[in-house]
Each structure stands twice: as structure tokens, then as C-alpha cells.
Amino acid sequence: MATTIVALRETVPGERRVALTPEVAKKLRARGARIVLQDGTGASAYFPDATYADSEIAAASTALAQADVLLKVQPPSLEEIAALKEGAVVIGHLQPHLAPERTKALRDRKITAFAMELLPRTTRAQAMDVLSSQAAVSGYKAVLIAAEAAPKFFPMLTTAAGTIRPSKVLIVGAGVAGLQAIATAKRLGAQVEGFDVRPETKEQIESLGAKFLDLGVSAAGSGGYARELTQEERDKQQQALADHLKNIDVVVTTAAVPGRKAPRIISAAMVAGMRPGAVIVDIAAETGGNCELTRAGEFITTDNGVGIIGPVNLPASAPVHASEMYARNLYNFLELSLKDGALTLDWDDELIAKTCITHAGEIRHEPTKALVDGS
Ligand code: NAD
């Protein structure tokens, strides 16, 4: 029997992305799946119902009751979980660390839940990597926000009124978001520097035409990620950075260490030493901020005139392309299991096994299990 794949309107405030786009709905149908959508599912991302040709439109409760697979951007609500049939599959950015009660509900309802952010970051997984695709949106948008807030031009301008020097932009953290931020700031004509604690980023930063800022600290960890710095390394990084920031116009911070609070990189004292009119956009705002003064969702101005912006859910601010990339990531993940319209999960495939948080009444992800057991 054909697998019924369902998508709903996202209900988390500010979320404008959608987990299923018309393009991906068509591809799934071509693989034998049946698509049922809540009315208005794609509206916030400018995909009207009519663009999902040959998909069925239904009320949310009707769609949920039929779902073999529910595709989500944000985690499902407890009501949505309760409306699913036992054994249904849920795929999304599930953030199990934020809500143990949701994991319990998924377990008790015998839902097979895949948290896409747990996907192993192997070469084969790249096309399914929602963290990467959405981080690229964040990096791009953060630079546009900075350019809008800055009291200066980004590019050098030669005008009849004289020459304007380009803004000096520093991107802190050169992962997926940081590299996209560097590329965007370069396109806007700024003088761009980037730094990261992973030494391999030097070449990546330079290949984008930016300068690698060497603060004398290297902290390559496992799996392509950074490890946490020691106190000594942190002090060294801080001192060198404090001096450097005095001459910077715009800082975009993107540093993260998986599973931990965002590393504190820019202290209040460093901000106090910055130029009036300088702007910091802190992409890590939602996980505690890379800057000590960041407040998630706010734009504050310090006594010395430095603007600090803590944007939340940046990918939702570019819902068309963010949804297109996200939905393609989910399609590539589903493709592992969808054969002639039927869903078969291969538990020997690490991409399936390691992304799963609940299955058949069990919690399969150890950190999530520990959290639920301790709650
Ligand atoms: P992330 O969001 O976890 O971190 C962002 C950046 O912050 C990283 O580059 C990290 O090194 C840096 N950082 C951490 N602590 C720092 C500090 N104290 N000071 C300065 N920088 C600090 O990372 P991400 O963007 O999701 O991915 C990082 C890397 O993982 C990628 O660049 C890539 O090499 C690898 N990756 C692999 C795949 C894959 O193969 N499927 C997919 C995505 C990423």
C-alpha cells in the first residue's frame, strides 16, 4: 500500500518554513507515495495549496490520522502526537533536549521519530543535512541584518565627495553559517576577516577571498567539529581578540560546539573597547550567545554606542529558499527508506539508526533517554 506522507502548517510563532514544498511533493508522488496536506500548509512560505498539484488537502486532524509519515520543521505538539496513529514516522528538527515530555509522548504512542539534527555528518549524509542547509541561510541573513543596522557602507566608494573606506567585518566561527556570512560580506564589498579554532578553516576562509585572523589557538575536535577550549587557550584567544576588535565595524558571531551552550567569545569588556557605531550580530543568540551582552530576540545599544543584535530563527526569515533546501534534505533522507511507495527502515544503516530518537515504544538515543529517565 502507498505510504501516506503528511505535512501541516507550522504553529510555532515566527516559523514560516514548511517541511514539504510542491517540488518535493511531486518527487515523492513519483516514488509512489500519497501526499495529504493540511489546507494552507505552504502559505507562509508562499506555496499556495494550488501549487501542490495532485496532493490531497484535508483538515489537520484528518491528515494526522492517516499519516504514515509526518514531515515537520519544528517538533510536533503533544496534540499532534496524540492524533497520530501508533507506528507512524515523524521526521523533523525535533530538539529532544528541550522537552522530555514530548519524547515521552512519542515513545508512548510508539512513534518512530527521526531528529534530523542528529544525522551523522558523513559525506553520504551531506544532501540530508538540515543543520548545514539552514545554517547557510542564517549566515547570509545575519550579514544583511548587520549591513542594514550599520551606520556605514560595506563597500569602498569613490565619489565626488571623496573616498569612503570599506567596512571592516569580522566573522567569528567559520562553519557552514560563518563561511556563508564571509561570502555574503565579501559580495557586499566589505573588508572581511574570519577566524575559527579549527585550523582547516584557514584555507576555506582564504578561498573566499577573506583574511584568516590567527589568534594563536587551535582546537580541532572529532567529526569535523570543534572541541571546547581549555581555560588557558580561552584566555589567549580573548586577549588577542580584545585588541583586534577595537578596529572592527561589524562582527557576526557563529561559533558553536555541538551539544553545549554557545562558547562565550566576546566579553562585555571587549564590547566596551569597540568603536561607537560598531555592530555585532550574534547568530548563537538562541543557545546563549557568543557575546556576553547578547539578548535573544533583541537589539540593544550599549553606553558606548555598540549595537548588539540577537536574532532568533533566522532561517524562517527566508522561508522560500530555506523550505526548499529543508524539504530536499528530508526527501533525500526519506529516499533511503521509500521503495515503490512502501516504507522500509534499514536499521543497519547508521543514518537511520543514529537519527532515530524513539521507535516501537523505546527511546533509542542515549542522551535523550538519560534526560527523560532523569526528568
Ligand atoms: P557548528 O555550527 O557546530 O560551529 C560553527 C563553527 O564554530 C565551527 O566551525 C567551530 O569550529 C567554530 N567554533 C567553535 N568554538 C569556537 C571558538 N571558541 N572560537 C571560534 N570558533 C569556534 O559547525 P557547523 O557549521 O555545523 O559544522 C562545522 C564543520 O563540520 C563544517 O565546517 C564541516 O567541516 C563539518 N561538516 C560536515 C558535514 C558533512 O560532511 N556531512 C556537514 C556539515 C558540517
Side-chain angles (χ1 to χ4, degrees):
M1 215 176 69
T3 301
T4 299
I5 299 178
V6 166
L8 305 176
R9 273 182 244 151
E10 295 289 327
T11 53
V12 168
E15 184 53 77
R16 297 181 58 196
R17 291 169 294 170
V18 56
L20 185 63
T21 55
E23 174 206 18
V24 169
K26 189 174 170 194
K27 282 167 79 173
L28 287 170
R29 271 195 315 279
R31 292 186 74 88
R34 172 181 170 238
I35 309 291
V36 183
L37 301 171
Q38 179 185 14
D39 57 295
T41 290
S44 59
Y46 306 101
F47 301 118
D49 287 349
T51 58
Y52 292 87
D54 299 328
S55 296
E56 295 166 48
I57 307 289
S61 55
T62 313
L64 281 167
Q66 297 178 46
D68 297 312
V69 178
L70 171 64
L71 302 180
K72 292 284 298 176
V73 177
Q74 297 286 345
S77 65
L78 295 177
E79 293 73 30
E80 286 166 351
I81 295 169
L84 286 166
K85 60 187 178 196
E86 279 196 0
V89 172
V90 175
I91 306 175
H93 190 195
L94 301 184
Q95 304 162 62
H97 58 289
L98 294 183
E101 70 279 8
R102 193 163 52 226
T103 308
K104 281 185 200 161
L106 290 165
R107 175 196 63 192
D108 296 345
R109 196 94 196 113
K110 298 192 173 56
I111 304 297
T112 301
F114 292 104
M116 291 302 288
E117 68 271 31
L118 298 179
L119 191 79
R121 299 191 102 175
T122 58
T123 305
R124 191 165 68 94
Q126 273 177 4
M128 312 164 202
D129 192 329
V130 299
L131 290 182
S132 289
S133 70
Q134 306 305 294
V137 182
S138 298
Y140 170 81
K141 275 287 182 167
V143 169
L144 298 188
I145 289 170
E148 173 72 22
K152 294 184 170 184
F153 286 117
F154 265 31
M156 186 179 98
L157 292 185
T158 309
T159 76
T163 300
I164 301 287
R165 287 199 298 193
S167 288
K168 289 186 178 171
V169 174
L170 173 66
I171 311 293
V172 176
V176 181
L179 291 174
Q180 190 58 243
I182 289 172
T184 305
K186 280 295 292 182
R187 287 185 200 114
L188 286 177
Q191 199 176 309
V192 187
E193 291 174 321
F195 95 84
D196 197 295
V197 288
R198 289 181 301 119
E200 62 266 34
T201 58
K202 180 175 191 294
E203 201 186 317
Q204 296 163 355
I205 290 168
E206 288 172 352
S207 75
L208 292 170
K211 193 174 156 224
F212 179 72
L213 176 62
D214 189 353
L215 296 175
V217 175
S218 166
S222 59
Y225 288 115
R227 63 169 169 78
E228 213 172 10
L229 298 183
T230 63
Q231 189 56 47
E232 198 183 323
E233 286 170 330
R234 204 170 303 137
D235 292 346
K236 190 172 170 193
Q237 186 193 50
Q238 297 268 304
Q239 250 170 33
L241 186 59
D243 288 339
H244 196 75
L245 283 174
K246 290 178 183 153
N247 291 314
I248 295 289
D249 299 304
V250 167
V251 186
V252 174
T253 61
T254 75
V257 178
R260 295 190 178 271
K261 265 186 76 173
R264 272 289 151 77
I265 297 173
I266 300 180
S267 65
M270 288 183 200
V271 175
M274 289 176 74
R275 293 172 174 167
V279 172
I280 299 173
V281 176
D282 190 346
I283 291 189
E286 279 164 297
T287 51
N290 290 146
C291 173
E292 188 179 348
L293 301 177
T294 300
R295 286 201 227 120
E298 291 185 31
F299 182 161
I300 60 164
T301 304
T302 62
D303 290 344
N304 63 320
V306 176
I308 304 175
I309 305 173
V312 292
N313 199 356
L314 278 174
S317 66
V320 174
H321 282 155
S323 301
E324 282 179 2
M325 292 194 285
Y326 185 88
R328 283 180 204 157
N329 292 147
L330 296 198
Y331 175 79
N332 292 328
F333 182 72
L334 261 176
E335 217 185 5
L336 299 173
S337 311
L338 205 55
K339 309 262 158 27
D340 300 324
L343 200 72
T344 316
L345 299 170
D346 174 6
W347 295 105
D348 292 332
D349 184 338
E350 66 158 0
L351 301 187
I352 300 283
K354 291 193 173 160
T355 308
C356 180
I357 54 167
T358 60
H359 175 64
E362 281 176 13
I363 300 175
R364 293 230 168 162
H365 178 243
E366 278 311 318
T368 300
K369 188 169 183 332
L371 192 75
V372 169
D373 289 347
S375 69

